[in-house]
Amino acid sequence: MSLANESCVNNILVPKAALTLSEFLAFEKEYDVVTILYDMTNYCDALREMSSRRDEIPGRKGYPGYMYSDLATIYERAGLIKGKKGSLTQIPVLTMPDDDITHPIPDLTGYITEGQIVLDRGLFKKGIYPPINVLPSLSRLMNQGITKLQRRWANQIYSAYARSKRVGMLAAIIGESELSDTDRKFLEFGRAFEKKFLTQSETENRTLEETMEIGWKLLSILPKTELTRLTEEDITEHIK
């Protein structure tokens, strides 16, 4: 742990020391280890401060040009080693400055890691828990572990929610009463998606099958002509 009143050197050492211990437990003691690094924004700010003190040439927003490779040396210390029974899973957490996902810290992190879960302040204010914004969230490994049906289902859910957000922006300008019937259906879908699909209790253990069933029910809100990511067989079998 490195507190705010400690030197930037400590901020830089903490994640590396934590991962060294994690690797010992995983690959020497054969445990399955999960390491949570919080908050990597503090680490990057300490890196910028150290770089400034060394009079190094700054990159974007004053962060050093080597921050990408420096972060990679941390994030890539995860996974499996051939011949070893243990595993190391890493969950780095960061705060996006000004909620800007294009900021160098989340931007570079997104390039290196195998996926990202983005928490949204607006959803939190609506009382949605967990406040996960599915649109910028992603998993680069998902397609390797799902069926073709699940992929079509996920693509349709994603596409419909994205359109519902666009319709919501339009409704804020011209008023909901001026929307077409189809757009109002998408607006209804988006609200139901956040309330019934995203929202879970802290103790809920929802299965994949239960999640898909909720998704199929939500998709039934939309006109079948708008379900362009699904096959006719999908619609006939699952949309009531």
Side-chain angles (χ1 to χ4, degrees):
M1 179 181 293
S2 179
L3 303 179
N5 60 350
E6 296 179 10
S7 70
C8 59
V9 175
N10 284 3
N11 272 343
I12 292 175
L13 289 177
V14 163
K16 298 176 181 179
L19 287 171
T20 298
L21 173 60
S22 300
E23 288 170 340
F24 171 76
L25 293 174
F27 306 128
E28 298 297 329
K29 297 300 182 179
E30 299 183 344
Y31 287 99
D32 293 319
V33 181
V34 177
T35 303
I36 301 174
L37 302 175
Y38 176 84
D39 179 332
M40 290 303 295
T41 300
N42 295 336
Y43 173 86
C44 293
D45 287 342
L47 200 66
R48 177 171 62 177
E49 184 177 344
M50 286 288 293
S51 174
S52 177
R53 290 183 179 183
R54 293 171 179 165
D55 293 327
E56 296 173 341
I57 299 174
R60 280 197 299 163
K61 294 186 181 294
Y63 293 94
Y66 55 79
M67 189 168 75
Y68 177 88
S69 57
D70 190 281
L71 287 174
T73 63
I74 294 177
Y75 295 146
E76 292 179 1
R77 291 175 68 176
L80 304 169
I81 293 180
K82 189 174 182 180
K84 301 287 185 178
K85 293 183 179 180
S87 65
L88 174 52
T89 300
Q90 190 180 138
I91 305 178
V93 182
L94 61 86
T95 302
M96 295 187 294
D98 299 320
D99 292 341
D100 180 13
I101 200 171
T102 65
H103 186 277
I105 301 173
D107 188 34
L108 297 179
T109 295
Y111 277 116
I112 302 167
T113 54
E114 294 298 340
Q116 60 198 32
I117 299 174
V118 179
L119 303 182
D120 186 271
R121 199 181 304 273
L123 291 175
F124 176 76
K125 290 179 179 178
K126 289 181 181 179
I128 305 298
Y129 179 89
I132 296 175
N133 188 344
V134 301
L135 299 181
S137 300
L138 63 90
S139 170
R140 294 187 176 89
L141 301 177
M142 182 184 74
N143 288 335
Q144 299 179 30
I146 62 175
T147 64
K148 291 181 179 179
L149 170 61
Q150 291 169 339
R151 186 179 303 171
R152 293 193 298 270
W153 172 88
N155 289 342
Q156 184 62 72
I157 290 272
Y158 186 94
S159 174
Y161 184 59
R163 180 167 173 180
S164 76
K165 300 300 285 185
R166 293 195 298 269
V167 171
M169 294 173 63
L170 179 62
I173 298 172
I174 66 173
E176 192 171 332
S177 61
E178 297 299 319
L179 297 175
S180 66
D181 292 340
T182 299
D183 282 346
R184 280 197 288 269
K185 286 292 184 180
F186 275 99
L187 201 60
E188 179 186 351
F189 170 87
R191 291 166 177 166
F193 178 83
E194 293 175 355
K195 184 177 180 180
K196 298 179 180 179
F197 190 94
L198 289 184
T199 302
Q200 301 180 48
S201 71
E202 294 182 9
T203 59
E204 185 173 352
N205 187 18
R206 186 186 293 174
T207 66
L208 177 60
E209 290 73 20
E210 291 170 340
T211 298
M212 291 193 66
E213 184 59 31
I214 294 172
W216 289 121
K217 289 180 179 178
L218 293 177
L219 289 174
S220 66
I221 295 173
L222 302 174
K224 293 183 179 180
T225 54
E226 299 296 328
L227 304 178
T228 57
R229 306 299 180 96
L230 300 174
T231 65
E232 290 292 338
E233 291 76 12
D234 296 338
I235 296 173
T236 301
E237 183 176 354
H238 298 286
I239 304 298
K240 307 301 181 183

